[in-house]
Each structure stands twice: as structure tokens, then as C-alpha cells.
Amino acid sequence: MITDDDVEFHAPSPDPMWAETNYFGFEIPEAGTHIGLYSLFRPNLGIVNSAVFANSRMVPVQTAIDFWDHRAYLPLGENRLSDFSLANGLRVACLDPNRRWELRFDSEWLTVDVEYSALMPPYDIHDRAMDPLARDGGDDLASGDLWKGGHFDMTGAVEGTVRLHDRSYDVDWLLTMDHSWGVRGEYQSGTMTWLQAHFSRDFAVHAIFQSDATTPPGQPLDLSISHSYVMDHGEAVGVKAGTGRTLREGLAQREVELELVDVRDRVWKLHGVAQTGFPAEYWPGSSSPMAMMRWTLDGEVGYGTTTDFYDYRHHVALQAQRARAAAER
């Protein structure tokens, strides 16, 4: 069960790679743009890794998106998780534990000034009373201790303003954030898809999937459910079963099909078409193709991002696989 105390740093293990993360990501549908504010804290090392970005394009490299700022060694200093200011210009302050945050970023080309308010309780993936797919022991996603300490996701409303280059936007949409803590090395052993479909303040879908990391680029990526919820009028309804498939161009997502079954036996079938795409990198050693999708569900239209997490060892294996296939031809 997530409590108000979880808004602060947890007591770390002695492992120098102990990490605490949070991510706040939202879309500006009328601009076809998504914004990401990510921080990974390593208190035992006294540093913070942070990636801040804005993208409205379908591009093959990070340097071609609207804004990209990734720092690996920002000083942690005296920052608290509930109230921190980083040297890259990111400021996050929790105004009400696990319910309301103030999010700010200030740079020459991107300014974010928004407030996020939760529309549901934190969805604890280790709480069996909440998540029918909760697992014993805390390990998850074939990633060792990645989320062993804890992890929750939560959808809410985001309001404020964004200035991107020479244009300003009023923001009034949805944001799905997450917070995790545990030992996180530079590489992870498994793959993961992390996605959300935002439709209204009354309805959204969030899901986490696993997939086969050896699936060759360009082939459909079959998704196996790990955790998911449907946010329905403020209630976090757990998903008990689900499948998905991502159609790709190389490793870039182009379309996603989902079928989810919640604990009320309601079936949700979603179809997403990519509006943007680029290869994000949230921390060194990771590679994360990311796309903003235009989702449809029963005639309704929503927006949200989907991100496939690999590490660079997967790319080495895929390159070797391609080399062997070419040699056999």
C-alpha cells in the first residue's frame, strides 16, 4: 500500500546503484506534442540523472526532436524527493503528498509551468488488493531488482502553460506519472512497454507489458501483460488479463492493438496510431523508442505515449542476429 511517506526518499540499500525515479509525462493534443520530465536519483552516489524533452515529430534521432536535454551527473545536494531543484532547470514540488505537484522547467527553448492533480489513488503494482497481477517477492519484468523496492503509477489532470521555442500553449489535459525505488543498474535484463491512453478526466488506461527482446526489428512485437489499470471516474480498476501487439518500422512504433480485461470482466479494445516517434534515452545504458499515439476506443479519441524499453545489449544481440541471417543467405 502506498502511503504519504512514499513521496520522500526511501532508506536505500548499500548498493551504490540504488535508485529512486519519478516521471511526469503529458500531451498537448492540439499541438501534436508530448512533454517528458524524468529524474533518476542515486542517493548513495550523490547524483541525479534527468531527461527533459518535447517532441512533435517522427524522427530517427534525439537531436531532431523539438527539445532534448539529458544530464547524467547533476548534483543531488540537499534536495528532497518531495521538493527538488536541479541544475538543468527542473523544479518539482509536491504540494499534497501523492496528490498534487507543481512542475516547472526553465530553459531558453522550453519552459514548463504546470500543476498536476491526481484523479485516482496511486496504483501499487505490489498490492494484491489493488492489482490482480501483483507478484510475490517484488521482482518484476525480468529486470532483477528494478522495482523490488516499490512502484506505482497514477493518472491525473495537468493544467498550466508551456512555451516551446517561440510558441506558447495552454495545457489542460491528463498526465500519467510513476515513481519507483530499488536497485537499478546501467543495464536491465528484460524489456518493457510502458503506455497510457488518456481520454478524459473520467477515463484513461495505463498498461505495462513484457515482450521478447530478440524479436527482429520491423516484425510485430507481441506484448504480454504485466500490470494495468483502467481509471474510471476516479476509481483505479485493476486489469486481470490482456494482450497487445505493436507494429513497427525498425524499432519505432507505428500502431498498437490492445485488448484488456478488467476485474469487472469488462473488455477494452484500443487501437493506437503513432503521431510522433523518436529514440529516447532515459538513463545511460537504455534505449527507449517512444511515440505519442492517437488512441481510439469505442469511437472515442484519446492521446498518450507508448515507450519500449531495451538496453544496449539487446541491440548488440539484434545486430548479431541480423549478421547471422545475412551470412546464411
Side-chain angles (χ1 to χ4, degrees):
M1 179 180 178
I2 302 301
T3 71
D4 287 356
D5 291 339
D6 289 315
V7 77
E8 300 290 358
F9 287 126
H10 299 80
S13 77
D15 193 314
M17 301 309 286
W18 173 273
E20 257 193 80
T21 73
N22 64 21
Y23 174 73
F24 298 89
F26 61 93
E27 305 82 48
I28 309 175
E30 63 271 23
T33 300
H34 57 101
I35 308 290
L37 309 171
Y38 177 76
S39 301
L40 184 153
F41 300 83
R42 295 198 185 278
N44 291 340
L45 300 178
I47 59 174
V48 186
N49 168 96
S50 182
V52 177
F53 57 86
N55 186 35
S56 64
R57 303 169 184 169
M58 191 84 72
V59 295
V61 293
Q62 297 133 336
T63 52
I65 69 173
D66 299 272
F67 183 85
W68 176 255
D69 187 321
H70 186 190
R71 317 284 183 97
Y73 303 109
L74 297 168
L76 176 58
E78 300 299 317
N79 279 303
R80 297 162 52 201
L81 187 62
S82 64
D83 191 351
F84 64 87
S85 298
L86 303 179
N88 62 347
L90 178 62
R91 165 78 193 280
V92 174
C94 186
L95 307 177
D96 187 7
N98 294 326
R99 297 171 188 86
R100 196 158 59 93
W101 280 262
E102 184 179 73
L103 311 173
R104 292 181 176 175
F105 180 75
D106 188 34
S107 74
E108 181 181 4
W109 301 113
L110 175 66
T111 300
V112 178
D113 186 356
V114 299
E115 187 172 304
Y116 164 76
S117 300
L119 294 171
M120 56 175 279
Y123 191 78
D124 184 353
I125 67 168
H126 298 319
D127 185 347
R128 289 187 178 276
M130 176 170 278
D131 186 353
L133 300 177
R135 304 178 185 185
D136 292 328
D139 290 357
D140 205 357
L141 304 172
S143 301
D145 292 337
L146 181 63
W147 289 350
K148 190 170 184 177
H151 175 92
F152 71 82
D153 304 277
M154 185 165 59
T155 301
V158 60
E159 297 182 62
T161 59
V162 166
R163 178 185 58 82
L164 179 58
H165 299 291
D166 59 351
R167 296 196 61 181
S168 294
Y169 302 96
D170 292 327
V171 176
D172 184 3
W173 190 235
L174 301 184
L175 181 159
T176 294
M177 60 88 67
D178 79 346
H179 175 200
S180 62
W181 55 100
V183 176
R184 180 175 300 208
E186 299 282 12
Y187 294 102
Q188 63 183 39
S189 60
T191 57
M192 172 179 72
T193 294
W194 191 86
L195 63 81
Q196 50 279 321
H198 298 138
F199 289 91
S200 74
R201 294 193 180 204
D202 291 329
F203 188 84
V205 174
H206 172 72
I208 303 169
F209 294 92
Q210 296 180 65
S211 58
D212 182 355
T214 66
T215 305
Q219 290 191 12
L221 192 67
D222 290 322
L223 307 177
S224 173
I225 193 74
S226 290
H227 306 279
S228 178
Y229 64 76
V230 173
M231 185 197 76
D232 191 357
H233 291 81
E235 182 183 0
V237 181
V239 168
K240 64 181 182 180
T243 58
R245 171 169 274 208
T246 301
L247 302 182
R248 302 179 299 165
E249 182 177 324
L251 295 177
Q253 308 95 331
R254 291 296 181 260
E255 293 187 54
V256 180
E257 295 279 357
L258 303 178
E259 182 170 321
L260 306 173
V261 184
D262 69 26
V263 294
R264 303 172 302 187
D265 291 322
R266 291 199 63 176
V267 178
W268 306 96
K269 296 182 179 181
L270 294 88
H271 176 71
V273 178
Q275 310 297 294
T276 72
F278 81 106
E281 181 185 72
Y282 287 95
W283 64 87
S286 75
S287 174
S288 309
M290 183 179 193
M292 185 180 81
M293 313 299 290
R294 181 183 185 273
W295 293 99
T296 54
L297 170 66
D298 296 332
E300 299 295 322
V301 174
Y303 293 88
T305 54
T306 182
T307 309
D308 294 333
F309 288 85
Y310 304 87
D311 67 40
Y312 286 116
R313 290 176 298 186
H314 294 131
H315 294 289
V316 172
L318 290 171
Q319 292 284 9
Q321 186 182 70
R322 282 195 287 266
R324 286 194 298 269
E328 292 171 356
R329 288 200 292 269

